[in-house]
Amino acid sequence: MEQFWQTASASLNNLTVTSHPDNEPVTIHGAASDMRCIGVGTDAAVFQSLTEPGYAFKVYADGKQDKLEAEAEVYKRLGESPFFSRCYAATDRLLVLKYEEGPTLFDCLLQGIPVPGQVIADVEAAREFVRAQGMNPRDIHLKNILLQNGRAKLLDVSEYIKPGNDFRWEHLKKAYTEYYGLIKGTPMPFWLLDTIRKWYHHWNNYSSSIDEFMEIVSKQLNFRK
């Protein structure tokens, strides 16, 4: 199997992943015929092997080596857990991961897929598990949580070794509890979710009060509790 990973890594060398400022998603240049892109974040892009679909390859942008090394270390410390994927190997530019099925919570909002309360409970349990391993669960948001058979699976664990609380999960949980009922089962347009994402990124640099942010969103979108 190591030979397969080496072959896949060589194929992905045909791709270049570039990061951007202001929390914008990476861009991908080039092509790898035996891979399909299944996710794009602010530090990396994820590809699924077409020949061995049980594997995913997280290719980091140039200059993000520290993030790659941090994520590899976190997966090592997490071991096997129902809340997280597995990391099989790491190179100087990518991680070899177990492919995980299911839409992200961001995709659920786009498609109007209901998100059950069990997902919230699972994330809480996953956070306790991370703390029990001596790490700090943070950077948990809509694009980092999969809905998998009614349960939660967490992605992108690279920040779990950083200190401090970014309040992203606390804000998301409160928004789910107090506001999700207004839109549950209703597909949301991408431009709307992306606008809220950009508002949140700008606002969260200056405040940790979700009530303040949701008041802004409510006024702009005419949401009413």
Side-chain angles (χ1 to χ4, degrees):
M1 194 56 66
E2 183 177 351
Q3 183 177 0
F4 160 68
W5 296 338
Q6 292 173 346
T7 302
S9 179
S11 175
L12 289 166
N13 283 336
N14 296 318
L15 301 174
T16 301
V17 178
T18 305
S19 62
H20 304 283
D22 299 324
N23 206 42
E24 291 299 314
V26 299
T27 53
I28 304 165
H29 306 279
S33 60
D34 56 342
M35 299 282 173
R36 72 181 183 102
C37 183
I38 58 173
V40 174
T42 57
D43 299 311
V46 182
F47 300 85
Q48 182 187 24
S49 169
L50 298 178
T51 57
E52 296 283 349
Y55 295 95
F57 298 84
K58 187 169 184 178
V59 182
Y60 276 83
D62 292 342
K64 299 295 182 178
Q65 182 73 19
D66 57 334
K67 287 269 190 174
L68 186 159
E69 294 174 355
E71 186 152 26
E73 174 63 21
V74 171
Y75 273 118
K76 181 179 179 180
R77 293 170 64 177
L78 287 174
E80 293 193 31
S81 165
F83 302 119
F84 301 97
S85 186
R86 292 181 60 190
C87 179
Y88 298 111
T91 73
D92 60 350
R93 68 187 299 257
L94 62 82
L95 300 179
V96 183
L97 303 170
K98 178 185 176 184
Y99 170 71
E100 299 289 351
E101 296 183 337
T104 65
L105 296 196
F106 187 86
D107 293 330
C108 289
L109 291 181
L110 283 176
Q111 301 170 37
I113 300 171
V115 177
Q118 182 63 49
V119 167
I120 306 301
D122 284 348
V123 175
E124 290 286 359
R127 283 162 56 84
E128 287 302 314
F129 176 79
V130 171
R131 292 190 185 98
Q133 314 313 310
M135 293 182 289
N136 181 33
R138 49 173 289 151
D139 193 35
I140 298 174
H141 54 79
L142 291 173
K143 291 186 177 182
N144 283 351
I145 307 170
L146 290 181
L147 175 61
Q148 195 174 83
N149 300 319
R151 306 298 297 264
K153 181 80 72 170
L154 278 66
L155 308 174
D156 193 356
V157 300
S158 61
E159 291 199 11
Y160 290 8
I161 58 175
K162 293 178 64 174
N165 189 347
D166 57 11
F167 294 99
R168 301 188 81 174
W169 170 246
E170 286 83 355
H171 295 167
L172 180 56
K173 181 181 176 182
K174 187 176 180 68
Y176 178 91
T177 302
E178 299 190 8
Y179 295 90
Y180 180 63
L182 297 171
I183 61 171
K184 185 176 183 178
T186 302
M188 306 299 290
F190 176 82
W191 67 264
L192 176 58
L193 295 180
D194 198 48
T195 297
I196 293 174
R197 177 187 68 83
K198 291 177 179 178
W199 285 349
Y200 181 84
H201 175 66
H202 175 75
W203 163 85
N204 200 36
N205 288 328
Y206 304 99
S207 174
S208 60
S209 169
I210 187 60
D211 293 318
E212 177 186 347
F213 177 69
M214 291 308 299
E215 182 179 354
I216 295 171
V217 174
S218 297
K219 288 180 180 178
Q220 293 293 326
L221 307 180
N222 295 316
F223 281 178
R224 294 291 184 269
K225 293 183 66 174

